[in-house]
Amino acid sequence: MKTKSPEIKKTWYKEMSVYQIWPRSFCDGNGDGIGDLEGVLSKLDYIKSLNVDAIWFSPLYPSPNADYGYDISDYKNISSDYGTLELFKKVVEEAHKRDLKIIMDLVINHTSDEHEWFKKGREDKNSPYHNYYFWRKGRGKKPPNNWKSVFEGGAWEYDGNLDEYYLHVFAKKQADLNMDNPAVREEVKSIMRFWLDLGVDGFREDVITYISKREGLPNGFPLPIGTGIEHYTNGPKVHDYLAEFRRDVLDRYDCFTVGEAPGMTPKLAKSFIAEGESKVLDLMFHFQHMAADCILTDWIRLPFSLKKMKKAFSRWQREMFGVAWNALYLENHDHPRIIDRYGSRKYRVESGKMLAAMYLCQSGTPFVYQGQEIGMTNIELDSLDKFKDVITFNNYRLFKKLHLSDERILRITNRCSRENARTPMQWSGGKNAGFSTGEPWFYVNPNYTEINVEAAEKDADSILNFYRKALKFRKENELVIYGDYKEHYKESRKLYVYERKYNGKRLLVICSFTEKPVRFITPDGFNLKKGKLVLQNYKNVSDSNVFLTRPYETRVYLFED
Ligand code: NOJ
C-alpha cells in the first residue's frame, strides 16, 4: 500500500551530512603542535570518503584564544596558527572540487576584547565604537545589574579609565556586541558578505539566540551562574535582526544557516525555522537530547535515562515534520564523547555503531564531529593543572566554594569537561597519534594505539566503516531523508525502536541501549523475514521476528512494500 507523505520542500541542505572540524586538534601540517589548514588539505579525501557533503569549521579567525577561537579579534582573516586567507581560499577550492561545501562559524554575540572595535571603544567614550558594546555606569560601587556570566563570575568588567563596566555574558575577554546599534548589524552583514563572496556555503551561528538583550538590562533571577539569562535568551529583537540578515544578505546567496540555540524548545524553534516568510534560519542546534544524563549543564550528572533521550528525539522528529527541518548531532566540541555518555566503553565498537544508526536514520541534517566516526572516547588526565578550558577553570572555582576536594573535582572534570572532545584527532598508532610531528598543544588520548583512523581503515567492521555505510545509505535513500517518523515501544527503558515511511517504503530501526539481553518483538505490521537488513553491528543475524538482543545491538531493516 502506498502511503502519502506531506510535501516537504526538497533542498540541498536537507540532503547533506556535515563533518565538523575543531581546527586546533584536527591535523597539524607544519609540525608546530597545532592543527592547521595544511593539515585539513591533506585530509580532504578522507573527509570525502566518509560520504559527508560539507565541512563546518569551528572558528578559524585570529583570536587570543581565551575561548579557543570563540573570541574573535578579526572577522575577515585567518589565524596565523591555522594559515592564511590564501590558504583558506585553496581549502574552499579543493573542497568544492570534491563536492564538499564549507560552513564557517559566525560568532557575533561577542568579540574578543582584543578586537579593534573594542580597543577603540575602550579608549574613548566618544568613539563610534563605544556603542558597539554594552558600556554602562555602575550602581554606586556595584556593577550595572546583577547579571552573572555563564563562564566567569560576574557579567560586568570594570574599566578604571572610563569608570564604566562592559557586559560579557561569556568570558571576560568576550565582550557582548550591542546588536541594537545599526552600525553593528551592518558590520555583521559585511562579515557575512565577505565570506560568502569568498565562496563559503553557509554559517553556523554561535549562541545566536542571545544577540538581543532586553531593553534597560533589568536584574535577573538569581542563579549560581548565568543570572540574567532570561533577559537575553530569545530576546525581544532576535527575530527582527535575523530577518534583516536574511533579507539583506543571506537571501541573495544560495547558502545555509544553522543557529546554536541553548534553551530551545520545538514550539519556539518554529518561530525561527518553520518554512515560510517568517523563517530566519534553516536549522537550529537545540540541546534537549543532550540532557539525558545531566541537568542544567553537562557538569551535573544523573544516570543516563533512555526514556528522556527518546522523548527529546521523538518530540523534535514529530514537531518539525513537514514544518521545519531538524539538525541531528550527538557530539561537538562542547560535550564529552558520546560513547562515554550514552554508550558503553566496554562495548565501544558495538555501542559506537548503534549510536550512529540511532541518529543517522532520523529526519534532519546530520552532523558528525571529528573523531566520533572512529569512536574516540574521553581522556583521563591525572592532574587539574593539565586542563586548559575557561569553563573548567570556572567550575573549579565553583566547586571549591562548595568545599569539594581537588581529587573529587578531578574526577568530575575528567568525566564532564568539554576538553574530552578536544584531544588531538587520532590518525594512526604512530608518534602523537599521527596528529603532529611536533609537541601537540593538548594531550593525546593514550588509547590512540588502539583507536585510530589507520587501524579503522584496515578493519571492515570498524566504527569508521559503519559511519561510511550509514551515511551512504542515507544519501541514497530519500526515505531516510524525507520519510515520516513513528516511535515504537515508547515505554521501554532499554530499547529505542522507530520506523520511517516514505512513498511505500519503510525503515525499521532497532537500537538496544543495554548490554543485557532484551526480548525484542517485531512491531505489528512488520515481518523481518521480508525486510532487507541494511545496517547491523553483529554478524549472524537470524530473521526471526522475536529475538534476544545482544549488547548494544542495532539492526536497520528496509521494507519495500
Ligand atoms: C558556543 C560555542 O560552541 C562554545 O564553544 C563557546 O564557548 C560559546 N558558544 C561562546 O562563544
Side-chain angles (χ1 to χ4, degrees):
M1 193 184 69
K2 291 243 184 243
T3 43
K4 185 111 181 73
S5 304
E7 262 329 295
I8 299 176
K9 207 169 123 207
K10 296 184 178 172
T11 326
W12 58 267
Y13 70 75
K14 294 180 181 168
E15 296 174 12
M16 75 176 176
S17 305
V18 185
Y19 188 72
Q20 183 195 347
I21 291 184
W22 198 73
R24 208 170 179 79
S25 288
F26 184 63
C27 182
D28 175 14
N30 66 1
D32 67 355
I34 297 175
D36 53 36
L37 291 175
E38 278 300 345
V40 170
L41 271 177
S42 72
K43 298 297 181 189
L44 285 180
D45 289 331
Y46 167 76
I47 296 169
K48 180 70 188 171
S49 81
L50 301 175
N51 298 315
V52 296
D53 311 278
I55 299 171
W56 150 30
F57 282 110
S58 275
L60 289 165
Y61 318 94
S63 159
N65 287 319
D67 186 16
Y68 292 109
Y70 285 90
D71 47 321
I72 297 172
S73 53
D74 179 358
Y75 285 93
K76 294 182 180 170
N77 211 338
I78 294 290
S79 160
S80 56
D81 280 348
Y82 302 139
T84 60
L85 203 51
E86 282 316 303
L87 192 54
F88 177 75
K89 286 182 193 161
K90 188 160 171 216
V91 170
V92 176
E93 193 185 309
E94 289 297 320
H96 284 170
K97 268 191 207 159
R98 292 165 176 78
D99 257 335
L100 288 169
K101 297 195 183 285
I102 298 289
I103 297 159
M104 292 298 266
D105 218 308
L106 188 75
V107 187
I108 54 169
N109 177 67
H110 44 264
T111 73
S112 164
D113 65 345
E114 295 182 34
H115 193 289
E116 278 308 306
W117 303 335
F118 189 82
K119 289 202 268 186
K120 287 183 183 149
R122 180 176 221 166
E123 266 161 27
D124 176 6
K125 272 186 204 175
N126 298 316
S127 151
Y129 293 104
H130 194 66
N131 192 31
Y132 269 37
Y133 299 86
F134 293 94
W135 285 101
R136 295 287 185 276
K137 286 273 174 225
R139 299 168 291 170
K141 288 229 169 326
K142 291 209 293 198
N145 68 19
N146 72 345
W147 293 10
K148 283 191 191 153
S149 125
V150 293
F151 274 6
E152 251 188 332
W156 294 95
E157 191 64 10
Y158 182 67
D159 184 279
N161 256 342
L162 296 178
D163 187 28
E164 286 184 352
Y165 294 77
Y166 70 86
L167 177 69
H168 64 90
V169 156
F170 290 94
K172 283 186 189 129
K173 286 183 72 64
Q174 292 168 298
D176 280 59
L177 278 168
N178 172 13
M179 207 57 74
D180 300 328
N181 179 347
V184 172
R185 301 203 296 280
E186 287 310 316
E187 299 278 10
V188 171
K189 292 181 215 168
S190 155
I191 296 164
M192 286 177 161
R193 284 189 203 104
F194 177 85
W195 292 102
L196 290 167
D197 288 340
L198 208 136
V200 315
D201 305 284
F203 298 105
R204 175 266 188 190
E205 302 189 359
D206 189 65
V207 287
I208 200 62
T209 45
Y210 286 8
I211 62 169
S212 164
K213 275 77 178 167
R214 190 170 313 284
E215 217 185 309
L217 310 178
N219 278 337
F221 181 80
L223 296 168
I225 56 168
T227 299
I229 200 157
E230 70 277 26
H231 296 308
Y232 57 80
T233 308
N234 307 309
K237 301 247 173 68
V238 62
H239 290 87
D240 295 347
Y241 296 156
L242 293 178
E244 184 178 326
F245 300 150
R246 173 131 237 162
R247 185 194 65 219
D248 292 355
V249 184
L250 300 165
D251 277 349
R252 295 159 194 253
Y253 296 81
D254 183 20
C255 67
F256 133 100
T257 51
V258 50
E260 187 203 24
M264 190 49 57
T265 62
K267 189 168 170 225
L268 202 56
K270 287 180 206 164
S271 70
F272 291 92
I273 60 173
E275 302 275 2
E277 280 301 296
S278 62
K279 180 172 150 188
V280 289
L281 291 166
D282 294 314
L283 321 178
M284 281 191 132
F285 286 130
H286 70 87
F287 287 64
Q288 295 196 320
H289 64 292
M290 298 306 289
D293 63 350
C294 59
I295 186 156
L296 299 173
T297 105
D298 281 0
W299 291 71
I300 309 177
R301 288 305 181 91
L302 301 169
F304 170 64
S305 159
L306 177 63
K307 277 180 82 174
K308 207 169 160 198
M309 188 204 80
K310 294 197 296 186
K311 207 169 156 196
F313 270 120
S314 289
R315 207 168 150 214
W316 282 83
Q317 289 291 298
R318 239 183 7 252
E319 296 218 24
M320 296 302 118
F321 192 72
V323 177
W325 200 246
N326 273 299
L328 304 168
Y329 73 96
L330 287 177
E331 286 195 11
N332 60 39
H333 61 292
D334 286 333
H335 302 283
R337 295 286 183 180
I338 201 67
I339 286 175
D340 285 300
R341 297 182 63 182
Y342 295 4
S344 154
R345 188 69 79 89
K346 182 170 166 206
Y347 294 99
R348 187 184 68 86
V349 175
E350 293 80 358
S351 66
K353 293 179 187 175
M354 181 278 290
L355 289 164
M358 183 275 292
Y359 91 110
L360 293 177
C361 290
Q362 298 200 15
S363 163
T365 298
F367 292 75
V368 179
Y369 179 64
Q370 68 188 39
Q372 181 186 339
E373 80 277 19
I374 55 166
M376 279 177 63
T377 63
N378 287 351
I379 190 171
E380 187 144 348
L381 296 178
D382 58 11
S383 154
L384 278 165
D385 41 62
K386 293 193 169 163
F387 291 88
K388 295 179 188 284
D389 182 30
V390 59
I391 297 189
T392 302
F393 301 152
N394 195 38
N395 285 338
Y396 179 78
R397 284 188 295 266
L398 291 173
F399 287 138
K400 274 294 171 202
K401 278 194 194 153
L402 297 172
H403 307 293
L404 264 56
S405 67
D406 277 6
E407 207 186 341
R408 179 128 183 248
I409 300 175
L410 178 62
R411 268 203 311 276
I412 299 174
T413 308
N414 269 321
R415 185 167 175 216
C416 304
S417 160
R418 59 184 183 170
E419 285 156 280
N420 280 305
R422 299 176 174 193
T423 60
M425 177 74 184
Q426 294 164 206
W427 293 104
S428 74
K431 189 182 164 204
N432 300 327
F435 162 72
S436 173
T437 53
E439 185 63 35
W441 77 278
F442 195 47
Y443 304 90
V444 176
N445 194 319
N447 66 18
Y448 75 93
T449 48
E450 183 206 340
I451 305 172
N452 63 67
V453 173
E454 197 175 76
E457 292 281 9
K458 289 186 191 137
D459 174 6
D461 292 326
S462 62
I463 300 179
L464 173 65
N465 282 316
F466 188 91
Y467 265 91
R468 285 184 170 135
K469 198 169 167 194
L471 288 162
K472 181 160 186 276
F473 177 69
R474 187 182 167 89
K475 204 192 244 321
E476 291 172 351
N477 286 274
E478 283 207 323
L479 157 69
V480 190
I481 299 168
Y482 292 114
D484 199 352
Y485 168 96
K486 181 175 162 199
E487 190 185 345
H488 294 274
Y489 304 126
K490 279 195 189 121
E491 295 310 314
S492 173
R493 292 170 197 278
K494 304 202 166 78
L495 299 181
Y496 185 12
V497 183
Y498 62 85
E499 67 172 88
R500 306 287 312 279
K501 198 157 66 181
Y502 187 71
N503 287 347
K505 288 189 184 180
R506 291 182 304 159
L507 198 70
L508 185 66
V509 182
I510 306 163
C511 299
S512 165
F513 276 76
T514 171
E515 59 180 82
K516 302 216 178 76
V518 184
R519 191 157 174 266
F520 174 78
I521 305 173
T522 304
D524 286 347
F526 288 94
N527 178 358
L528 299 191
K529 292 187 183 15
K530 294 202 172 152
K532 184 174 163 207
L533 191 56
V534 289
L535 293 171
Q536 68 203 81
N537 60 353
Y538 282 92
K539 294 188 171 135
N540 305 324
V541 171
S542 83
D543 63 0
S544 165
N545 280 306
V546 178
F547 64 88
L548 285 182
T549 59
R550 285 165 281 187
Y552 295 91
E553 182 162 5
T554 188
R555 298 187 192 181
V556 179
Y557 289 92
L558 175 65
F559 298 85
E560 307 197 46
D561 296 342

